[in-house]
Structures are given as structure tokens and as C-alpha cells.
Amino acid sequence: MKELHIISFNYPYPPSYGGIIDVYYKIKALSDLGVKIHLHCFVDQIPDKIDPEVKEITENVFFYEKKNNILLYFLKTPFAAIIRDSDLLLKNIEKTNAPVLFEGLQTTHIMRFIRGNNHKLYLRYHNNEKEYYKGLSVSEKNIFKKIVYKIESLKYAGYQKKLLKKFETVFCLSEKEYNEVKTYSGNAQLIHIFHGNQSVKQLDKKGKYFLFHGDLTTADNKQALAETLTLFKTLPQYNLIVASDRASEDIKRKISAVENITLVPIRTSENLCHLLENAHANILISYQNSGTKVKLFNTLYNSRFVIINGNITDDPALTDLCLYGADMAEIRQQIVSSAEKDYDDTEKRKHVLEKIHSDHAKAGQIIKVIFKN
């Protein structure tokens, strides 16, 4: 019997944003292939119930409240890691002798107590956290948050370099992170993002609008949206839908001031799929170089044209499925030219995505590594 402890930085349902999408669909794929999952989740508040979608793919689910002490920020350990600490978690892990997969460096503060206790330790390397927080600091406009992110970046610089060598294997999300880990640690393995999509949608040649979607509370997405709004002000002949459940009043005002731009809520994954299916092209821009973004898979599987800049993916095969712009002038040109084109890339996408990026294939790779004996 194959059993695995997974320690998640959050409860992975609903799978509504990047890292959690990877966690949920990884658990689902591993479960489909016969692995019994003991899931441990750090949360702000312990939920009243476990969703049936999580219950049916796990053996056990345990919750632990993140520490709520601002003074922990002044310690040497990264704040995101030190608030995820629990004696109860250690006791629950000792109940089942199985390997442990940590989801992200922020869950690894307790690993010093697990090492040597007959548990082999593995890491899902979601981000180079040093670079991630550095990028947040650059994008952030609020001076206090800018300083907080910068300090967290400096803390992670030493923390991650020290820890990465201590895992049996570090499963990296992207080529960039794989190459970084490989340079000073021989335990890197490239396993691309789990995304939950199974087949590429067969769509008509034309959609109805351009689409920008994402969490508009993050500095990176806010900066990307600001650039996109500026662009579409100069393109009144094209309609842009901005899809998000998290938009500030300031963002709502800016959107409502432009006649050809509309803000719509997402609310459910079904609504997002509907928005993607009716879009003619999607605008995906990032100012953080952190590998392939999960929403790229959603758009490639479920929509038509995808217009990206260089930070959306570092996978050449995926870049080849998109329309690329090195800067906003080139993004603008791709918008104009794609508006006149018929979409007919379905077969090309099927060949690349369903062959190379299926969740079950990736879960099989993880099983081979963890359960090789």
C-alpha cells in the first residue's frame, strides 16, 4: 500500500488560485493512481466541514491554525514559514509511517523535528521565495508592504539555500527553478504544474471579447491590469472583460470609466470556463519571473488565442502555443492582429498539452520517485 503525508500551506478547496490549484489536482491525480493521502492543512480558521471533493480523494484531513503573532515577524526565520508550526502536526505524522511531501517552503519549519524519524522528506518547490518576495516588493506601491516584502525576501535567501539539500527530492514547477536548484543541490526533479484540465476544448473560430482574469489584490496582477487598461483605452473598437472576485473600489472606478471595459465576477469555476470559452483572446501579463503560471493552462485548454509576455512561462513548448509580446507595444500589436484572425489551433494544442502536461502522467512520475522501492 502506498501512503503519503502531504503538508499544505492552505486548505486546497476550492482550487481557485495558483498554488492551491497545483495542490488539489496533484492530490486528486495521486489518489486516482492508488496513493492514500494523509492531508495536513495550515489555515487561518479551522473550517466546520471537509468538502466532499476533498474527502473522496484523501484518507485523512487534519487542520492546524496558523500562528497569529506579529512579533514572529522579527525573528530570523521567514514569517510565512514560522507561523506554520504545530506540535499536533508532528503527533499526527507519527501515527502513519509514510513519506512526507511539503507543499512549498512555507510549510517546512517543522521538518527539523521530522528528520531521522523514518520519514523520507520531499518538497514541492512552488516558488523561489526569495525572488517571489523580491518581485512583490518591486511591484508594491504601499511603502510599508514594500519594506515587509523586501525583508521576507532577504530571510528566504538563506533559509531556502540551507534547506533544499536536505530533501530526498525537490519537485520543481518550472525549468527556471529546476536549473536553480540543480546548480547547488543534486536532488532536483522537474514536474510541471498540476492544473485539472483533461482535454482541449473544441471551439468556434471567433470569440466575442478579450479577457483579463486574476486575483486583483496581488501587486503583480494589479500592475498587469493597469497596463492592460491603459492599452484598451487606445483600442475603443475592442471589448475587454476583466474577470475577478477581488477588485478594490479604486479598480472598479477605473474600469467603469472606460466604455469598452467591463468588470465581471467569477464566483465559480463554471463561470470562469464560460468566460474563457467565449473569449477571442486572453491577455496574460506578469512582472514576476517565476515559471509557468497556472492560468496559462486554463486558457490554453479552454479558450482561443493567448497573448503573453515573457514572465508567463519559461517552457518553449507552451510559448509556441501563444502569441508573444516582449513589451506593451508588441502586446498591443498582438491584440490588433489576433482580432482579425480565425482560431484553429485545437489540434496543435491537443498534441502538446494532452501528451506532455496531463496530470496523471505527472503523478506517475512522482510515484516512481517517492515509492521507487
Side-chain angles (χ1 to χ4, degrees):
M1 184 192 301
K2 296 180 177 70
E3 296 188 76
L4 178 66
H5 294 285
I6 292 183
I7 304 177
S8 179
F9 51 88
N10 208 339
Y11 179 52
Y13 200 84
S16 56
Y17 67 91
I20 281 302
I21 290 171
D22 182 75
V23 175
Y24 175 76
Y25 288 110
K26 186 188 314 105
I27 292 169
K28 189 174 188 310
L30 289 168
S31 176
D32 288 346
L33 296 182
V35 180
K36 292 197 170 184
I37 305 293
H38 304 277
L39 177 62
H40 307 264
C41 307
F42 282 99
V43 292
D44 293 317
Q45 187 174 356
I46 294 174
D48 296 329
K49 63 180 179 65
I50 300 165
D51 292 277
E53 292 86 351
V54 174
K55 202 176 267 187
E56 70 183 28
I57 59 175
T58 54
E59 188 74 4
N60 300 294
V61 182
F62 304 98
F63 295 104
Y64 315 95
E65 283 194 9
K66 289 183 280 185
K67 295 183 186 304
N68 186 19
N69 182 355
I70 196 65
L71 295 177
L72 294 174
Y73 182 76
F74 298 100
L75 299 179
K76 188 168 68 171
T77 303
F79 184 70
I82 205 165
I83 62 172
R84 292 174 171 90
D85 202 350
S86 169
D87 293 336
L88 180 58
L89 168 58
L90 294 170
K91 290 176 184 173
N92 285 332
I93 283 178
E94 290 310 313
K95 291 175 186 175
T96 305
N97 187 9
V100 180
L101 176 62
F102 293 86
E103 292 287 351
L105 280 164
Q106 62 266 54
T107 65
T108 58
H109 185 57
I110 64 151
M111 72 173 286
R112 67 196 187 283
F113 300 115
I114 301 175
R115 281 179 64 80
N117 284 12
N118 300 319
H119 299 279
K120 290 197 171 182
L121 307 183
Y122 299 84
L123 174 68
R124 178 52 154 172
Y125 192 51
H126 283 263
N127 278 315
N128 178 330
E129 299 291 350
K130 181 191 85 165
E131 293 300 320
Y132 174 71
Y133 280 101
K134 183 180 175 183
L136 287 181
S137 179
V138 170
S139 298
E140 183 56 59
K141 298 289 186 279
N142 181 296
I143 189 66
F144 174 72
K145 288 183 180 178
K146 187 181 278 285
I147 293 167
V148 166
Y149 292 146
K150 178 65 175 174
I151 293 171
E152 193 79 343
S153 171
L154 293 171
K155 287 181 182 180
Y156 266 117
Y159 184 80
Q160 62 193 36
K161 197 164 187 178
K162 181 177 67 177
L163 279 192
L164 288 176
K165 295 178 183 178
K166 297 183 178 180
F167 294 96
E168 299 285 329
T169 306
V170 176
F171 297 110
C172 301
L173 280 166
S174 72
E175 299 275 354
K176 176 178 176 287
E177 275 120 8
Y178 169 72
N179 290 324
E180 287 169 356
V181 175
K182 196 171 67 167
T183 56
Y184 59 86
S185 176
N187 57 359
Q189 173 106 7
L190 179 60
I191 304 281
H192 285 290
I193 293 170
F194 289 79
H195 48 76
N197 295 286
Q198 294 181 0
S199 59
V200 175
K201 290 260 171 66
Q202 186 80 44
L203 298 169
D204 299 335
K205 293 183 182 297
K206 291 282 189 184
K208 300 173 183 174
Y209 46 77
F210 289 83
L211 179 65
F212 178 106
H213 77 280
D215 177 357
L216 296 179
T217 64
T218 70
D220 188 45
N221 282 342
K222 284 193 280 190
Q223 185 178 350
L225 177 63
E227 297 280 6
T228 305
L229 295 182
T230 300
L231 212 55
F232 274 85
K233 284 178 185 176
T234 71
L235 297 167
Q237 68 272 39
Y238 305 127
N239 291 322
L240 172 70
I241 285 182
V242 177
S244 182
D245 292 324
R246 307 179 76 181
S248 67
E249 291 303 316
D250 182 50
I251 287 173
K252 288 176 183 176
R253 278 194 299 273
K254 286 176 180 174
I255 290 172
S256 64
V258 189
E259 197 171 319
N260 60 321
I261 305 176
T262 308
L263 176 68
V264 300
I266 297 174
R267 294 201 181 103
T268 66
S269 56
E270 289 77 15
N271 282 349
L272 178 57
C273 274
H274 180 73
L275 287 164
L276 289 166
E277 286 170 18
N278 285 288
H280 186 68
N282 298 264
I283 316 296
L284 270 60
I285 302 168
S286 176
Y287 296 94
Q288 287 191 288
N289 186 355
S290 57
T292 302
K293 307 294 188 286
V294 178
K295 62 183 172 184
L296 176 60
F297 285 106
N298 288 337
T299 52
L300 287 173
Y301 272 90
N302 299 294
S303 196
R304 294 177 183 80
F305 296 107
V306 184
I307 301 169
I308 66 169
N309 73 349
N311 291 330
I312 293 297
T313 182
D314 57 5
D315 184 335
L318 295 178
T319 300
D320 191 47
L321 298 177
C322 301
L323 303 175
Y324 173 76
D327 53 32
M328 293 311 290
E330 289 186 13
I331 295 282
R332 187 184 194 281
Q333 186 52 48
Q334 293 288 18
I335 291 168
V336 173
S337 61
S338 66
E340 305 305 316
K341 291 179 185 175
D342 287 340
Y343 170 73
D344 58 3
D345 273 358
T346 303
E347 292 309 314
K348 182 181 176 183
R349 288 187 186 180
K350 279 184 177 179
H351 178 72
V352 174
L353 296 171
E354 295 176 13
K355 184 179 179 182
I356 302 172
H357 286 285
S358 87
D359 284 354
H360 280 178
K362 285 176 276 195
Q365 287 178 269
I366 289 177
I367 288 169
K368 279 182 185 175
V369 172
I370 294 180
F371 302 102
K372 51 184 173 284
N373 298 322

